[in-house]
Amino acid sequence: MDRRAFLKSGVFAGTVCATKGWASLLAEERLNSEATHRELATGWEFYRGPLDGRYQPWHSEELLTWEQVSLPHCFNAYDACDPDVPAYRGDGWYRSKVAVMNPYQDGRTLLHFEGAGQTAEVWVGGEHVTTHVGGYAEWVVDVTESCKRLKAGEALPLSIKCSNGRDVQRMPSDLSDFTLYGGVYRPVHLVYVPAVSLDAVHTNVTWEPGKDATVEVTARLYAAHPVAGELSLTARILGPGGRLVAEKNVSRAAWKGEEAIASFPLPKPELWTPQSPKLYRCQLVLRGGADETKVEHKFGVRHTRFEDHGPFFLNGERLLLKGTQRHEDGSNYAAALPAEEIRREFQMMKAMGANIVRLAHYQQRRLVLELCDELGIFVWEEVPWCRSGVGDECFKELGRGMLRDMIDQHRNHPSALIWGLGNEDDWPTELNGSDHAAIREYMTELRDLSHKLDPTRMTGYRRCDFAKDIPDVYSPSIWAGWYSGIYPEYAAALEKARPTVKHLMHVEWGADNHAGRNAEDPDPVLKHILTGKSTAEKGFDYKLTGGDARVSRDGTWTETYACDLFDWYLKTAEETNWLAGTLQWCFKDFSTPLRPENPVPRVNQKGLLLRDMTPKEGYYVFQSYWAKEPMLRVFGHNWPVRWGKVGQERMVRVYSNCSEVELFVNGVSAGKRTRDSKDFPCAGLRWSIAFREGENTVKAVTRVAGRELTDSVTFRYETRAWGKPAKVMLTRVNAATVKAELVDADGVLCLDSRAQIRFAVAGEAKLIDNVGTPDGSRAVQLQNGRAQISVKLDGAAQFSAVVAGVAPAFLLLAGGTA
């Protein structure tokens, strides 16, 4: 049976749909007892390639090589950023023998998947249990009947097939500008529940400024067989400090669907805000016979409002939504990011001063929403209807199901602000992409479904101008200074867009920047850019070929230019009192199959962090506008060589949110500057300095609340002109890292070179490559004539570097590294 026929069959409805609500429950309950809940993290094996699930996962050992892995696991963790070969698209199999010991009489045994990409099949032995389509929602499969067939003491022979193979009827589209990862890349849990248990619990909070709040608790049951007799329930509300606020006991017969269990008044509620994200707790206990199920989740009290053609209000006060966007992607893990890495990422986002994040372009792991609740970061979360038209009924039902799941699983979170209906469904050449009527009809359907499922939240959409009247909140495409125009046109572009939609937020803006590449002078392409026309990204503007001159294609991709663009946009947003929100693209560099020619191949480099979460210079520009804690940053920590003529003045940029900064150059004060956000660039914190030849040290000092902040950079000032590249010089930075420099015949570093360099190693060593960073790719463009890479060295090895037009360079390595 093909996939479309399977989805339409009764088997699909009976296996996935009957249990999908459990993901909503398990996303929020705390079943920490080993007796009822266990994360299945260890004891797994992986095989990449097709298998017949009826027989081969547990046989044919002489033909298969299984790799020991732990979950979560993404089978594109290494190849997503390979400069030569696109990431693998196909099948990957996981297997494990799972001990099952359900403590409940007639209890149910469930497998809870937090996400698996992109289509997953679950098999027990040679029995196919279910198929789930979609890589991002949580889902649950009931394996109770399979467990009953096990012999005493026998473990459950579980195998899971994940496929990220191409499928035009599955969201998101293959033309999406991010890697469609494969694997069990979010946690999997084994869960035991009684014969009758809670399928989902929701809190519906009603509150307006100046009034008391009301909290309604609703729930769904899960039972495989009819339930006789009365059920006893206890609902509790606990305040942010843990104090019991309200409690109610209820007895009632079993019910179908979602029903109200209890309602509580909440006088003078403590409010959830980005500055003080107060969280209440809802507990619901279900007793049926001798068994008990306890569910707990957090919720918040807040009131939101978008003014027509104007700003956003939280709890009755204007709040500029200031944020960024995030892909679930990272070095060495791809989509299978460990929890501690995700926590660190969101802590860095909060430290930057963000109060909103758009989760691009799909539902993300529940930990993300929990962190946003706790940190005070609003969320725009969307279904992965990305860069495609409208397919057949199977395609449409898949999108509806994704929207239902996302809202059902995440609507308790006070951080959830906007349900996104999709992204960029005006993409040229995509399946049915020119059928505007069908796209409008389907977007309207999704909007109405969202309002029905959650009347308290607005819907959002970015870039689909022929349907911009449909979502509640819309973002036009404005990329002034990158894909078209120049960044001083930003304010005019916002004003032009303002009257065209009722509620406008500006979502997605920024600039690619190759970390470690900088410039002394303005980008030469700027004098060729057409102005006074559109500032949107159109069609294939992201490509490095075709179309009008634009910075994205013809610019130098320096951190210097990107920081100036960020600075201008942030200044403009601060001055635009009607703007609801501004969200930069993107918080962290991420992998994409559509950009093999980028400086780091197959990496979108618009991040404020590298793919390994190292901050770029742009991160500190945002901190200087948004951060609450005092900060100070001298631009150029990864700019080891500056250049110019003898005595020529060069700009020193300092980014800070402090009112006054003093600069010292080689120990001598160059004076103080006062911060003024209207004084571009650097809000006036800039100095013109004539550096001495050779080594220079620049130090910035500010004093705040009785303490001193300092930051400094040391660099070499090069006054010699360089000529045509002549050779590559290789040196060992340390035991594990090799640096390459492209120099002319006199040994002068070619500081304007952006040539691609290729690294290789032979012998007892391996390159640490495909990391997706400038110093973690075996093919990468130079940063002002230089590049480096690390090596895992176990003995003697020959290292090489090749740049077109000059002779290859070699370096003999010896000695081991961890």
Side-chain angles (χ1 to χ4, degrees), residues 246-491:
E247 182 177 62
K248 184 173 291 187
N249 295 311
V250 177
S251 293
R252 60 179 297 170
W255 67 93
K256 293 185 178 180
E258 186 151 356
E259 295 285 344
I261 303 301
S263 182
F264 303 99
L266 208 59
K268 298 180 180 178
E270 297 183 64
L271 304 181
W272 186 95
T273 70
Q275 296 78 25
S276 180
K278 297 296 180 66
L279 293 170
Y280 288 80
R281 283 185 292 158
C282 169
Q283 293 178 349
L284 186 61
V285 180
L286 169 69
R287 300 174 190 86
D291 295 326
E292 179 179 290
T293 303
K294 179 181 177 181
V295 176
E296 179 178 302
H297 71 256
K298 295 178 181 179
F299 68 94
V301 180
R302 85 287 190 281
H303 180 273
T304 63
R305 177 175 68 87
F306 285 84
E307 185 176 291
D308 291 356
H309 308 291
F312 170 78
F313 290 83
L314 173 65
N315 303 335
E317 297 181 0
R318 193 238 168 161
L319 176 71
L320 176 62
L321 293 169
K322 304 175 293 189
T324 184
Q325 282 142 113
R326 176 191 191 258
H327 270 293
E328 204 148 78
D329 178 58
S331 296
N332 304 314
Y333 302 104
L337 288 164
E340 58 269 21
E341 290 285 292
I342 298 174
R343 288 191 186 95
R344 184 160 70 97
E345 183 177 350
F346 277 86
Q347 287 165 355
M348 292 178 71
M349 195 180 297
K350 183 68 175 181
M352 187 180 78
N355 59 26
I356 187 170
V357 62
R358 178 174 175 234
L359 304 180
H361 293 291
Y362 39 80
Q363 180 178 331
Q364 294 190 11
R365 187 172 164 180
R366 57 175 162 134
L367 174 61
V368 168
L369 276 291
E370 291 169 353
L371 287 169
C372 289
D373 288 345
E374 295 165 8
L375 292 170
I377 301 175
F378 276 115
V379 171
W380 170 324
E381 189 172 33
E382 63 193 34
V383 293
W385 182 32
C386 182
R387 288 192 179 175
S388 66
V390 181
D392 63 12
E393 182 56 31
C394 170
F395 176 94
K396 291 190 282 188
E397 180 54 32
L398 181 62
R400 297 181 197 113
M402 288 175 167
L403 182 62
R404 292 187 194 102
D405 287 345
M406 181 176 72
I407 293 175
D408 191 59
Q409 293 164 21
H410 287 171
R411 67 182 172 97
N412 286 333
H413 295 278
S415 58
L417 177 67
I418 292 174
W419 301 125
L421 306 177
N423 176 70
E424 296 182 2
D425 285 307
D426 60 353
W427 205 253
T429 75
E430 183 54 288
L431 178 69
N432 299 330
S434 60
D435 192 342
H436 292 184
I439 292 171
R440 283 185 57 84
E441 181 181 357
Y442 189 54
M443 193 185 300
T444 301
E445 182 184 351
L446 292 181
R447 180 202 62 195
D448 294 346
L449 177 60
S450 177
H451 288 166
K452 179 180 178 182
L453 296 169
D454 182 3
T456 69
R457 290 181 175 93
M458 285 188 161
T459 60
Y461 206 93
R462 181 199 169 267
R463 210 195 100 170
C464 191
D465 277 356
F466 62 80
K468 64 186 177 183
D469 58 306
I470 295 172
D472 304 302
V473 178
Y474 181 76
S475 174
S477 176
I478 302 175
W479 283 89
W482 192 245
Y483 288 118
S484 57
I486 56 176
Y487 56 72
E489 297 181 283
Y490 179 46

Side-chain angles (χ1 to χ4, degrees), residues 486-513:
I486 56 176
Y487 56 72
E489 297 181 283
Y490 179 46
L494 285 175
E495 292 294 345
K496 183 179 179 181
R498 180 185 181 185
T500 66
V501 292
K502 197 172 184 179
H503 304 123
L504 183 146
M505 286 177 61
H506 185 205
V507 174
E508 292 195 24
W509 56 268
D512 284 275
N513 53 108

Side-chain angles (χ1 to χ4, degrees), residues 699-712:
K699 178 182 178 181
V701 179
T702 188
R703 291 168 182 84
V704 148
R707 65 189 180 104
E708 184 176 271
L709 296 180
T710 66
D711 189 47
S712 63

Side-chain angles (χ1 to χ4, degrees), residues 549-560:
R550 53 192 183 274
V551 183
S552 62
R553 186 193 70 184
D554 308 300
T556 53
W557 288 38
T558 64
E559 290 195 85
T560 319

